Amino acid sequence: MTTLSLKEVSKRFRTVDAVTDLSLESESGELLTLLGPSGAGKTTILKLVAGLLHPTAGDIRFDGRSVLAEPPEKRRAVLMLQGPSLFPYMSAVDNAAFALLMRGTARSQARARGVEMLTRVGLPGLGDRRPSDLSGGQQQRVALARALLAEPRLLLLDEPLANLDPELRADMRHLIKQSQRRRAITTIFVTHDQEEAVEMGDRIALIFEGRLEQIGPPRDFYERPRSVRVARFFGSQNMFAGTYRGDIVATPFADLHIADGRPPEGPVVVTIRPEAVLLGHGGPANTVEGRIIESHYRGTHVAVRVAIGDIVIAASLRPDEARSFSVGDVTKVTLPPDRLWMMPGDER
Amino acid sequence: MIPRAVKTDSPGFGHRHSERRRRRSTAALAGVVLTLLILPLGVLALFSVTRAYFYPQLAPDDWNLRAWRLLLHPGSEVWGAMATTVFVGLAVVAVALVLAVPAGRALGRHSFRAKRLVEFLLLAPLLAPPLVVAMGLDFAFLRLQLTNRLWGVVLVHLVPTVPYAVLVMSGVFANYDQASEDQARTLGAGRLDAFRYVTLPAIAPGLVVAGVLVLIVSWSQYILTLLIGGGQVVTLPILLFATSSGGDTALTSALALITIAPVLALLLLTSRHVSRMPAAQIGLP
């Protein structure tokens, strides 16, 4: 139960700014995912928190107390890395009990707790194996046991699942989240996979080029992205440039009423989730006519594309709704004002 | 390596043919190498057991073990020289490795502006003629009153050995992934513990290679030992040169074999470690 706060942290490698002026607060016991494209500085942030790197400027606090003067072994911010990070010369139990041994726990006691923890992560009876005799998934389980036995104040996970195949990855996600919840360990989970970030994170901190772009619950990134880059990173399909003036956004295909979000007047980009787009029944506002040009059945939903002039809007229908439409139909398209979201338009 | 007889069950005629040719050329190469290595030793062995063996005699006519009896006699100087050589060698290995690990780590892991320069300076003692180096060092050691002492000799042997050790270790560290060490640190291991439990086992094969190399170089030092030891510190090479100027071929040959034997044995014992490491990893061209 530790809160982590970064205060205006910067890290410079010679001439490269890896992290710039980053301020971040984690709540106690939450799982915060650090999301961003590779090279965005996510791993650098983890290493700064772990104490393996020292920030060029700013402060890092655990429970409000600066830890900058403390070396990694004193911080109890345990790192779990991508790929095989077990110590190859030690058995699985010794790996798991490493932190206890380093703290001076008696060997027999440390091993007993190692065996117990290995059982808890689903590896009963494999304690005497060498890492090279374990599968990739089993190695990650040992690594998790090792991290948990260190009784971390903070758990720092650096794409720990990147090398696993999809099925194993789902299992490990579940196991990590479950272990983290049960012990209420404040956890920072780094990933470049937006889906993984959404699934794992209580909140997401999106990092672009070493700067915090947006932080909040996963839902915000889909429905209320702060910028076009965020919307694009989260795969937004419907983005239309327009001009915002007096509660109305003028776009090439319609003047749209908007209920929420008030950027300064001027150029904006409007976005809407495909599942919020209504077809067929005309609403009180924001209704135009369009022609259905594509329709693809996707199991849980039907992805439809509608042309309004030379603009194409993606909509997502329930399979039973979609039955009443076919390609070529001209229909009413409604963009509900409370589901439209505006972002500043003067960006790439 | 001596190739075994050609297998007759290899699949495909053409394949078997080229396979056989390959094996034959390997055998030829091995033969040449073995001849070059063993022939001189064989000649030494032959000389060591005869009093006189001159052209055009086909075989020596007077066989005896006089030289060996003299040298291996309990009161012989050989034992003292052997002990001195071993002591100096081990001390040099210990000090060289202690210096080479942090230096190799810095060179292998980090890139910094003066790195090329440091590497060049490191190799400089190996590039300069040994006599020049020895004379200069003798002068310096005289002033420091390190001459004629065992420790002076140990110290001066570091000059030609440390560069090799650092080169080997920098190669090892260049290929060593720091992630395990980072991992250990965040799990509560201090710098020393992380080194001892995580890094050391990983670099151990490299340490063996560096150690063997250092021991061999130290073992064969003559000029540096003679100048700094001033004749007071008698190692096997010193004894060997002194004996050879005495003109007794049998004695010299036997002593040469005694000098070579321990190094040869060590190489055979550790060859597994040395040959298993890819050349790139031990930092040798």
Side-chain angles (χ1 to χ4, degrees), chain A residues 14 72-73 77 79 89 99 146, chain B residues 111 180 183 185-187 190 197 202:
Chain A
R14 289 202 192 163
E73 63 268 24
L79 201 57
Y89 309 94
R146 178 176 66 180
Chain B
S111 55
S180 319
Q183 181 71 77
R185 293 295 301 280
T186 74
L187 286 165
Y197 294 110

Side-chain angles (χ1 to χ4, degrees), chain B residues 36-211:
Chain B
L36 286 177
L37 273 177
I38 288 178
L39 210 60
L41 295 183
V43 171
L44 283 177
L46 209 58
F47 276 136
S48 74
V49 289
T50 73
R51 189 186 297 275
Y53 176 24
F54 298 112
Y55 185 80
Q57 284 174 289
L58 264 183
D61 47 10
D62 177 17
W63 301 81
N64 66 68
L65 291 174
R66 176 190 56 96
W68 289 100
R69 253 187 231 116
L70 258 172
L71 289 173
L72 299 179
H73 186 268
S76 145
E77 260 184 287
V78 168
W79 304 113
M82 178 84 80
T84 306
T85 316
V86 169
F87 177 83
V88 169
L90 292 182
V92 170
V93 167
V95 179
L97 290 185
V98 165
L99 293 175
V101 166
R105 182 189 171 100
L107 281 174
R109 192 172 284 176
H110 308 294
S111 55
F112 45 92
R113 230 167 290 162
K115 187 167 162 175
R116 291 258 159 224
L117 184 69
V118 171
E119 282 172 344
F120 173 75
L121 287 177
L122 208 61
L123 285 174
L126 301 181
L127 301 176
L131 201 59
V132 175
V133 178
M135 299 295 263
L137 282 171
D138 190 27
F139 188 66
F141 274 48
L142 270 171
R143 291 195 147 196
L144 294 168
Q145 302 194 322
L146 280 166
T147 47
N148 302 346
R149 288 160 200 248
L150 205 55
W151 284 110
V153 172
V154 170
L155 208 58
V156 83
H157 277 198
L158 291 175
V159 174
T161 55
V162 165
Y164 288 119
V166 173
L167 278 185
V168 170
M169 292 323 291
S170 80
V172 168
F173 275 108
N175 286 283
Y176 172 66
D177 186 2
Q178 204 193 336
S180 319
E181 211 175 291
D182 285 351
Q183 181 71 77
R185 293 295 301 280
T186 74
L187 286 165
R191 251 172 228 286
L192 280 179
D193 278 343
F195 180 78
R196 183 171 154 207
Y197 294 110
V198 176
T199 310
L200 200 56
I203 63 169
L207 283 176
V208 171
V209 172

